[in-house]
């Protein structure tokens, strides 16, 4: 074990360095050709950086735990993560792997795509994570953590179970599964069956689930999947459905009572809750990279503060919108303070 939790929330799992070239026009790939691009943005990214900084922007201090390589990108990840107000970097350096990175291809006004190297995340199997003292443990992107999702998800299930045994509420976020990757060969249907009884909060996108379960999109699929995921043992499921917004479903009172200190503290209105909200319109499109993590942070912040279901989901959508406009969630907190409202009451 490495270090001990110093705050209420521990975010762990996937971390990388995002390399983001600025595109003055369309992104093109053509052998032998030269295309002019703008300046290169270099920033720490991945689940623990995005969710952690978004939580911190919402006034929830976190400890961020993951693995990086002994290289220049690892130093950048450590320095940038440590510089985020409200985030304590707890990174383990491995000399056997390079630091993970993503080349983010996002032409102006368009959604992004990624060229991704999992790097040191290959070695993350949960054994370096110490949940002692944490009220909530959030683990992000197991499809990009092939070590923790190996063996039918046994290491992931063990990590979540150990966090619950230590007294924490558990939270899990997924990622799109690349069929060509190591994790793409895993049986994610079986993995979810293995880990969901230990998962109190699950926050995937619909695209994550479609790729993991290898199913075709169809009308009403988010509702069907939410029902199925609750039946497999999850406590709360929140599925991001892109332009259709966010769907939240909650299990019954008995399952929520087994959901650690965060879910146990929720009001009776959470039992069996179903809420669906539209996305919040944005004034400018900065980046969609990390918006899903921001939505997760908004929901978790609402849960940590005991917000009712509709208000927690509203905070999730506001956090995603703020992130898209400015790559942070400071706007939610600033607006809330200026209006004298708690963050989940905005709008």
């Amino acid at each position: 074990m490495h270090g001990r939790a110093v705050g209420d929330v521990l975010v762990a799992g996937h971390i990388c360095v995002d390399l983001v070239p600025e595109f003055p026009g369309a992104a093109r790939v053509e052998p032998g050709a030269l295309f002019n691009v703008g300046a290169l943005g270099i920033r720490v990214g991945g689940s623990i950086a995005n969710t952690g900084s978004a939580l911190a922007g919402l006034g929830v201090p976190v400890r961020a735990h993951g693995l990086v390589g002994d290289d220049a990108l690892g130093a950048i990840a450590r320095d940038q993560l440590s510089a985020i107000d409200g985030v304590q970097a707890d990174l383990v350096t491995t000399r056997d792997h390079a630091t993970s990175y993503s080349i983010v291809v996002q032409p102006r006004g368009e959604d992004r795509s990624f060229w991704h190297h999992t790097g040191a995340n290959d070695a993350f199997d949960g054994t370096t994570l110490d949940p002692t003292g944490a009220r909530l443990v959030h683990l992000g992107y197991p499809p990009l953590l092939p070590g923790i999702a190996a063996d039918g998800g046994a290491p992931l299930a063990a990590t979540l179970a150990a966090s619950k045994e230590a007294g924490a509420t558990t939270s899990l976020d997924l990622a799109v599964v690349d069929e060509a990757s190591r994790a793409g060969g895993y049986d994610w249907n079986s993995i979810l069956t293995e880990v969901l009884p230990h998962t109190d909060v699950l926050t995937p996108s619909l695209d994550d689930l479609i790729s993991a379960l290898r199913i075709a999109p169809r009308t009403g699929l988010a509702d069907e999947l939410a029902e199925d995921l609750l039946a497999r043992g999850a406590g709360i499921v929140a599925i991001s459905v892109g332009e259709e917004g966010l769907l939240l479903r909650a299990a019954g009172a008995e399952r929520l009572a087994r959901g650690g200190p965060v879910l146990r503290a929720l009001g009776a209105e959470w039992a069996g809750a179903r809420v669906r909200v539209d996305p919040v319109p944005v004034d400018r499109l900065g980046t969609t990279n990390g918006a899903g993590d921001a939505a997760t942070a908004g929901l978790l912040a609402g849960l940590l503060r005991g917000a009712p279901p509709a208000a927690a989901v509203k905070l999730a959508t506001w956090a995603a919108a703020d992130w898209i406009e400015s790559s942070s969630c400071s706007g939610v907190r600033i607006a809330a303070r200026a209006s004298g409202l708690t963050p989940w009451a905005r709008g």
Side-chain angles (χ1 to χ4, degrees), residues 103-251:
I103 298 177
V104 183
V105 181
Q106 184 166 18
R108 189 170 301 169
E110 297 182 19
D111 202 355
R112 76 279 190 239
S113 58
F114 303 92
W115 294 345
H116 182 69
H117 173 59
T118 54
N121 292 307
D122 283 348
F124 186 91
D125 60 5
T127 57
T128 58
L129 186 152
D130 183 0
T132 305
R135 187 170 172 231
L136 184 143
V137 174
H138 174 73
L139 199 151
Y141 297 2
L144 301 180
L145 304 168
I148 204 170
D151 300 324
L156 177 57
T159 299
L160 293 170
S163 296
K164 287 182 69 66
E165 289 170 8
T169 292
T170 57
S171 172
L172 182 66
D173 193 10
L174 302 180
V176 170
V177 177
D178 177 6
E179 291 187 9
S181 69
R182 175 182 164 192
Y186 295 169
D187 182 350
W188 284 94
N189 190 52
S190 295
I191 290 172
L192 288 175
T193 298
E194 179 75 14
V195 305
L196 287 179
H198 311 290
T199 304
D200 298 319
V201 182
L202 180 69
T203 57
S205 71
L206 185 59
D207 288 339
D208 296 343
L209 295 171
I210 285 173
S211 65
L213 300 176
R214 299 179 182 178
I215 54 180
R218 59 179 181 269
T219 302
L221 181 58
D223 282 284
E224 294 176 26
L225 290 174
E227 184 72 24
D228 174 62
L229 297 168
L230 290 176
R232 297 199 210 191
I236 291 173
V237 175
I239 301 177
S240 298
V241 198
E243 295 180 355
E244 297 182 23
L246 184 65
L247 170 68
L248 179 138
R249 290 287 307 277

Side-chain angles (χ1 to χ4, degrees), residues 35-61:
F35 301 107
N36 181 56
V37 295
L40 179 68
I42 302 176
R43 59 174 181 254
V44 62
S47 175
I48 70 172
N50 295 340
T51 308
S53 62
L55 279 166
L58 291 163
V60 180

